[in-house]
Amino acid sequence: MSELRTLGEFIVEKQHDFPHASGELSSLLASIRLAAKIVNREINKAGLVDITGSTGVDNVQGEEQQKLDAFANEKFKAALEARDQVCGVCSEEEDEAIVFSKELNRNAKYVVLMDPLDGSSNIDVNVSVGTIFTIYRRVSPVGSPPTQEDFLQPGNKQVAAGYVVYGSSTMLVYTTGNGVNGFTYDPSIGTFCLSHENMTIPKDGKIYSINEGNYIRFPQGVKKYIKYCQENVPEDNRPYTSRYIGSLVADFHRNLLKGGVYLYPSTQSHPQGKLRLLYECNPMAFLIEQAGGQATDGKTRILDLKPTELHQRVPLFIGSTNMMNTVHEFLEKYPDSDY
Ligand code: AHG
Ligand code: MN
Ligand code: MN
């Protein structure tokens, strides 16, 4: 790890990759970096102060909102609003898109979509959680409030995307479409330092990540793939290994580094799966493709899906190319209506 290159310097350096870049995207990424540090500080205190547990309300997904979900949502929103580069935000924690009202924000070019705290059921038990974000250029005219159209762009229009994993160390990983880079937070100096330059996912891996508790409700193709992983012994005599944290960010991060595949398929009761297209699947799909892997809903490339709703869910299959090819062979062999 090089403490000699900070995230801030790296962002400015890479700004030159964008023709006519005026520093707005750099400033926007600086807001995300700042909010990540604040959220990291709070997460590290969980257990000491009264910030764990539920707020007592359900979010728009009908899921129990944790105090840190609400805290992270407020901090990211405030940091984004303060820097005038963003005209609106779509968040997992808010029913409708948030429109920033200041004139400077109305004149901004970008919208941000985010899952402020991913894996929040893990907060109370000291297991890794994350933040996921993605940035789009607005399609509505600058100077007017952002519209639904700005937020419902397909993933292939993302300008930048990334995540923060608050784990045994805290890391920020992002892409602007020129590869993926990772920065580890050094709390002693309060700085993210470049630690993982040009990250690529191995073409093959041994890890499959899926909530096997839902096994009986999975489509046949997924069941058969799981059985294949359990029964197939590769040449070096080591079987596949199952790893599932229950925080997409943490599961994704491990698989990115080690090689693997993450599956959140449809189930009989939830035909669209659980994960949200706009602020979970799209950013992760952009990152995995930039790292040399693949992401689909079982048939279609995630980045080519045309969103219709802010909180839309889709099945997600994401990871190492060779493993994804095998997953697809199973999904094609067994029709997905057959559970
Ligand atoms: P969130 O905490 O933002 O609602 O996301 C939780 C997601 C994701 O992080 C994780 O992979 C998945 O839910 C776990 O779901 P199951 O408990 O159904 O496996
Ligand atoms: Mn999430
Ligand atoms: Mn969340």
Side-chain angles (χ1 to χ4, degrees):
M1 155 159 171
S2 162
E3 287 179 346
L4 301 174
R5 283 176 96 189
T6 69
L7 173 59
E9 287 163 347
F10 189 88
I11 290 169
V12 171
E13 216 175 279
K14 296 293 169 190
Q15 191 176 303
H16 307 302
D17 291 351
F18 290 97
H20 318 299
S22 54
E24 288 156 305
L25 184 63
S26 305
S27 166
L28 200 171
L29 288 167
S31 345
I32 291 172
R33 178 183 56 174
L34 174 64
K37 288 183 192 178
I38 296 171
V39 170
N40 177 63
R41 186 190 61 199
E42 275 334 271
I43 286 171
N44 280 319
K45 288 192 292 196
L48 287 175
V49 289
D50 183 29
I51 46 167
T52 56
S54 157
T55 56
V57 293
D58 286 354
N59 69 12
V60 57
Q61 325 289 327
E63 290 158 356
E64 195 180 38
Q65 191 183 48
Q66 305 291 311
K67 285 181 199 161
L68 272 170
D69 281 324
F71 178 86
N73 187 43
E74 291 310 320
K75 292 299 165 193
F76 275 94
K77 268 194 315 187
L80 291 167
E81 187 169 21
R83 287 212 173 50
D84 308 330
Q85 314 304 348
V86 175
C87 57
V89 170
C90 164
S91 164
E92 184 193 18
E93 300 306 327
E94 314 249 358
D95 199 350
E96 304 289 337
I98 304 134
V99 173
F100 293 147
S101 53
K102 277 195 315 204
E103 193 183 340
L104 280 170
N105 291 108
R106 271 208 309 276
N107 289 330
K109 277 197 246 162
Y110 296 105
V111 293
V112 171
L113 296 88
M114 62 176 182
D115 178 353
L117 208 68
D118 172 66
S120 55
S121 65
N122 278 325
I123 295 164
D124 296 2
V125 290
N126 231 321
V127 173
S128 298
V129 292
T131 294
I132 311 174
F133 62 91
T134 174
I135 304 168
Y136 290 82
R137 215 164 269 119
R138 68 189 297 177
V139 288
S140 61
V142 166
S144 60
T147 63
Q148 284 285 99
E149 242 198 309
D150 296 320
F151 296 100
L152 296 180
Q153 299 185 59
N156 56 33
K157 299 276 191 228
Q158 289 173 98
V159 172
Y163 60 82
V164 185
V165 56
Y166 310 95
S168 44
S169 64
T170 291
M171 273 191 76
L172 190 151
V173 175
Y174 84 103
T175 182
T176 53
N178 287 302
V180 180
N181 292 284
F183 301 80
T184 302
Y185 186 59
D186 181 342
S188 66
I189 55 170
T191 305
F192 282 100
C193 300
L194 181 62
S195 53
H196 296 64
E197 195 167 3
N198 207 4
M199 299 168 85
T200 53
I201 183 167
K203 290 267 166 275
D204 243 314
K206 292 273 173 62
I207 298 171
Y208 70 100
S209 310
I210 186 166
N211 186 343
E212 284 186 57
N214 293 325
Y215 184 86
I216 58 161
R217 297 177 197 90
F218 286 149
Q220 278 300 327
V222 173
K223 285 183 185 159
K224 298 278 184 193
Y225 179 71
I226 293 171
K227 284 288 158 222
Y228 161 85
C229 290
Q230 292 170 343
E231 286 161 10
N232 184 36
V233 180
E235 272 161 26
D236 65 0
N237 241 8
R238 291 212 49 213
Y240 287 92
T241 192
S242 166
R243 290 283 182 273
Y244 190 75
I245 295 168
S247 292
L248 171 63
V249 169
D251 281 307
F252 178 96
H253 184 68
R254 181 206 50 241
N255 290 0
L256 172 61
L257 293 176
K258 295 197 166 180
V261 71
Y262 175 98
L263 306 90
Y264 209 110
S266 63
T267 61
Q268 224 160 0
S269 52
H270 296 90
Q272 295 311 313
K274 176 182 186 188
L275 300 175
R276 278 55 61 111
L277 173 59
L278 265 55
Y279 42 82
E280 289 183 318
C281 302
N282 270 337
M284 292 316 208
F286 190 19
L287 285 158
I288 207 80
E289 288 199 4
Q290 284 295 315
Q294 290 179 20
T296 73
D297 67 355
K299 290 196 181 91
T300 308
R301 183 180 174 228
I302 292 286
L303 297 182
D304 289 337
L305 297 172
K306 176 75 190 91
T308 52
E309 284 170 44
L310 290 184
H311 301 288
Q312 180 176 347
R313 297 173 195 266
V314 279
L316 178 66
F317 301 85
I318 189 164
S320 295
T321 299
N322 291 347
M323 294 183 85
M324 283 290 291
N325 289 342
T326 309
V327 170
H328 283 138
E329 281 169 26
F330 279 96
L331 295 178
E332 278 157 27
K333 200 159 161 199
Y334 302 93
D336 62 0
S337 55
D338 187 7
Y339 286 94

